[in-house]
Amino acid sequence: MKVYTKTGDKGFTSLIGGERVPKSDLRVEAYGTVDELTAFTALLGDRMRSEERLCDLTPRLEAINCRLMTVAALLAVGHGGEGKMAPLEAEHVAHLEEEIDQMQASVPAITKFTIPGGHVLLSLCHVCRTVCRRAERTALRASAEHEIEPTALQYLNRLSDWFYLLGRVVTERLGIEETLWRP
């Protein structure tokens, strides 16, 4: 099978189920942004592997990337593709919530917003957080026009919070001084 098909040369692509849509369709934009998040999450994991104090977190990032592939596929379902993709299990959202609670309990409380920076891994956590928020916004716009699996939207919403807390954990484990926003 060739990587290129030439079927998208005129600006259209196929969704799961065969529906042809413009590449500017919000569903395509949404799953493309999730794809971008998947790449940044992999980069974050690759960088964490070399840091002894953080390498235990890389299996979780790999699991998140598997869930993100499912989210992207659910966003790519078009007419005729209904039922071809298993929904994202609610337990995956609940698991993120549990991890968020655990991470939040493991770091000092803050009363001000934190500003990204201070270490490349912390900055990458915030890149993942912000790309995740963009993916969620795009998926929400797509859901206003098309039926989108609700757990996919919930997962993206929780995941941005998860990346924020991951950044705080990275800060704590590496002994980075947090930069707090002082308006």
Side-chain angles (χ1 to χ4, degrees):
M1 181 172 135
K2 288 187 176 188
V3 171
Y4 61 90
T5 63
K6 299 184 184 183
T7 61
D9 289 352
K10 293 185 179 171
F12 286 81
T13 192
S14 294
L15 298 177
I16 296 171
E19 179 184 359
R20 298 282 296 166
V21 297
K23 290 182 178 181
S24 59
D25 186 287
L26 284 173
R27 293 167 291 183
V28 177
E29 182 69 26
Y31 72 69
T33 307
V34 171
D35 186 32
E36 180 183 354
L37 175 58
T38 302
F40 276 118
T41 302
L43 177 61
L44 176 59
D46 289 343
R47 295 297 299 262
M48 279 188 173
R49 265 185 202 84
S50 62
E51 179 56 60
E52 187 177 313
R53 294 168 285 183
L54 301 172
C55 62
D56 64 304
L57 299 168
T58 58
R60 188 63 191 124
L61 291 170
E62 291 167 1
I64 284 170
N65 262 352
C66 287
R67 298 296 85 71
L68 286 173
M69 292 294 288
T70 301
V71 168
L74 290 167
L75 292 167
V77 172
H79 297 297
E82 302 84 4
K84 290 190 176 186
M85 288 299 310
L88 188 68
E89 299 294 327
E91 68 189 40
H92 295 300
V93 175
H95 190 69
L96 280 180
E97 291 170 353
E98 291 169 13
E99 289 183 349
I100 290 167
D101 292 342
Q102 290 169 0
M103 287 191 288
Q104 191 164 16
S106 74
V107 296
I110 58 169
T111 58
K112 297 184 182 330
F113 287 106
T114 58
I115 296 175
H119 192 282
V120 68
L121 292 173
L122 173 58
S123 295
L124 277 172
C125 288
H126 284 281
V127 168
C128 290
R129 175 186 60 81
T130 58
V131 173
C132 188
R133 288 203 189 278
R134 180 164 36 92
E136 179 190 12
R137 289 190 304 270
T138 307
L140 285 168
R141 284 195 307 276
S143 74
E145 297 178 16
H146 309 279
E147 191 167 326
I148 303 292
E149 177 65 39
T151 54
L153 300 173
Q154 293 167 1
Y155 191 83
L156 290 172
N157 183 268
R158 297 308 181 286
L159 186 58
S160 61
D161 293 333
W162 189 91
F163 278 119
Y164 173 75
L165 263 298
L166 179 63
R168 300 231 36 243
V169 168
V170 166
T171 298
E172 183 73 14
R173 288 191 186 183
L174 296 182
I176 302 164
E177 184 177 339
E178 283 186 308
T179 306
L180 301 179
W181 179 44
R182 292 177 173 82

